[in-house]
Amino acid sequence: MDEALLRSLTPGVLTVLVRRGADFAAAEDAVQDALVEAVRVWPADPPRDAKGWLVTVAWRKFLDATRADAARRRREDRVEDEPVPGPAAAVDDTLQLYFLCAHPALTQASAVALTLRAVGGLTTRQIAQAYLVPEATMAQRISRAKRTVAAERFDRPGDVATVLRVLYLVFNEGYSGDVDLAAEAIRLTRQLAAAIDHPEVAGLLALMLLHHARRAARTAADGALVPLAEQDRGRWDTTLISEGVGILQAALARDRLGEFQAQAAIAALHADARTAEETDWPQIVEWYDELTRLTDSPVVRLGRAVAVGEADGPRAGLAALAELDAALPRHAAAAAYLHERNGDLATAARLYAEAAHKAPNLAERDHLTRQAARLNTRRR
């Protein structure tokens, strides 16, 4: 396989798709899928016209993705903009598709990636960012997953843990503001909770409701991000908070703790505080300890370091942060915040600027850039 040839052809193929009417992001995704297909097919059956082959396959991939996206949007149009408390709405086939894509023949990571791409409507780039891997790596993983399930019968749906992981990632993508999928994720999790008596399903639903309750306060009128400590808590949806806390308490009472219940407990402690100053940070650290034990996730350890900085002071938080890989997403932002609280404004400003450069979306980048500018102004 001539990788140099593929790289040289990519810009031209991308240009053709854009001229045919594909938006740039969708065209990039389709070209990436075509390149993965080329890597698989060309060694055994090289085409006579390499560029023409790539254009044809990429355009077909684009049309398939467009049709899938249109079908997803039609499903979303049936959902109200904001989720309301109460029983699940009428069940459609979407949740069944989640279970079918979470096929036992796939690893959990591959099943999640496939479901997010085929049913959740996320791009390959968004999925790669969620898994902290290069986009090309994720494209290959999804392609392999498609080939695997193509050879399998769909009479063995996947397990609940995989579906929960997918729903959680779909909700997070919607909550970030890049794609509005949060309400759809909540709707499907309500359906799952109504169908399955499982404490982690309840934990995930509680977590979603508690986070979603703060959504109106997360952005200012100009679209700027508002940090949790600065949010107008009068804008939090107390009905969703009450429902989420109730669901969580019932799940915790079953004494089968899982990571979603632990995350929901942290969210509930934030929701319970009337002001940022009244937040019970020591208890939040204890829940992070439980979550670390359950997941051993570096992202969880990052959140714990910030919580330690609130509970025991910024130096303790920085000490906990020093144990983590500095390449971890949002590590620079966390370090900047803790250095600012510790009085080191120069280091904090530099780290805020570094974090802004690495930010995964425009709103977060703008927020971090403003933080750096604010500290640089104070130092003058």
Side-chain angles (χ1 to χ4, degrees):
M1 171 59 59
D2 191 341
E3 295 184 6
L5 173 63
L6 287 178
R7 285 196 298 271
S8 68
L9 292 174
T10 297
V13 176
L14 185 60
T15 299
V16 172
L17 264 64
V18 171
R19 285 177 178 171
R20 288 186 179 184
D23 67 84
F24 190 80
E28 280 189 313
D29 209 40
V31 171
Q32 182 63 63
D33 286 345
L35 293 175
V36 172
E37 190 71 6
V39 170
R40 184 179 71 86
V41 172
W42 285 11
D45 186 19
R48 286 187 225 171
D49 178 4
K51 181 177 178 181
W53 188 97
L54 286 171
V55 168
T56 299
V57 174
W59 184 248
R60 187 171 68 245
K61 299 284 187 183
F62 166 73
L63 292 177
D64 289 345
T66 300
R67 294 188 190 102
D69 187 60
R72 176 182 60 79
R73 290 184 185 279
R74 285 195 296 272
R75 292 196 300 270
E76 290 178 355
D77 286 342
R78 297 197 296 267
V79 183
E80 294 182 358
D81 289 338
E82 294 296 325
V84 296
V91 177
D92 58 23
D93 62 353
T94 307
L95 192 59
Q96 182 181 5
L97 290 175
Y98 273 67
F99 273 96
L100 290 175
C101 285
H103 198 278
L106 298 173
T107 65
Q108 186 181 77
S110 294
V112 170
L114 176 63
T115 314
L116 289 172
R117 187 72 183 90
V119 188
L122 274 64
T123 66
T124 304
R125 180 181 295 107
Q126 289 168 325
I127 302 168
Q129 289 173 345
Y131 271 87
L132 312 180
V133 300
E135 184 177 352
T137 300
M138 183 53 67
Q140 291 173 357
R141 181 181 299 176
I142 293 171
S143 181
R144 286 195 299 269
K146 288 178 181 177
R147 293 198 300 272
T148 298
V149 297
E152 295 283 343
R153 294 180 59 184
F154 280 90
D155 56 355
R156 296 185 298 149
D159 68 329
V160 175
T162 301
V163 174
L164 288 179
R165 179 64 52 194
V166 175
L167 289 169
Y168 176 61
L169 291 173
V170 170
F171 175 81
N172 279 346
E173 195 61 47
Y175 193 66
S176 75
D178 292 334
V179 182
D180 190 8
L181 296 172
E184 172 71 352
I186 290 174
R187 181 183 76 89
L188 293 173
T189 307
R190 285 192 186 281
Q191 287 186 11
L192 189 58
I196 299 176
D197 183 21
H198 192 297
E200 272 294 82
V201 176
L204 178 58
L205 179 56
L207 175 63
M208 289 179 174
L209 295 175
L210 289 163
H211 277 311
H212 209 69
R214 302 199 300 259
R215 188 168 190 178
R218 290 183 71 244
T219 53
D222 62 357
L225 286 182
V226 181
L228 178 60
E230 300 171 20
Q231 289 177 14
D232 178 1
R233 299 185 178 218
R235 299 184 65 196
W236 290 1
D237 189 327
T238 55
T239 302
L240 285 182
I241 290 173
S242 178
E243 183 187 8
V245 169
I247 292 171
L248 173 63
Q249 288 175 338
L252 291 175
R254 300 177 66 176
D255 198 24
R256 289 169 55 193
L257 184 63
E259 62 174 294
F260 293 122
Q261 294 170 72
Q263 288 189 60
I266 292 170
L269 285 167
H270 284 298
D272 187 55
R274 292 177 299 177
T275 65
E277 293 72 25
E278 295 179 51
T279 304
D280 189 346
W281 286 108
Q283 193 171 352
I284 287 177
V285 171
E286 290 180 6
W287 276 111
Y288 266 116
D289 289 338
E290 289 287 347
L291 194 53
T292 300
R293 180 181 60 79
L294 290 165
T295 67
D296 196 28
S297 162
V299 175
V300 169
R301 292 181 182 276
L302 181 68
R304 181 187 179 279
V306 175
V308 168
E310 298 287 359
D312 301 328
R315 290 187 180 181
L318 287 168
L321 197 64
E323 299 175 2
L324 303 175
D325 185 352
L328 191 66
R330 297 187 171 89
H331 185 285
Y337 173 73
L338 291 170
H339 276 291
E340 180 183 357
R341 288 199 59 226
N342 198 40
D344 187 352
L345 302 188
T347 300
R350 175 179 58 79
L351 287 168
Y352 274 130
E354 178 184 326
H357 180 70
K358 299 176 180 177
N361 57 67
L362 183 60
E364 190 170 333
R365 184 185 313 153
D366 288 346
H367 169 71
L368 292 167
T369 300
R370 282 193 294 270
Q371 295 294 87
R374 173 179 58 82
L375 293 186
N376 283 327
T377 299
R378 283 178 57 186
R379 292 168 54 219
R380 288 173 187 161

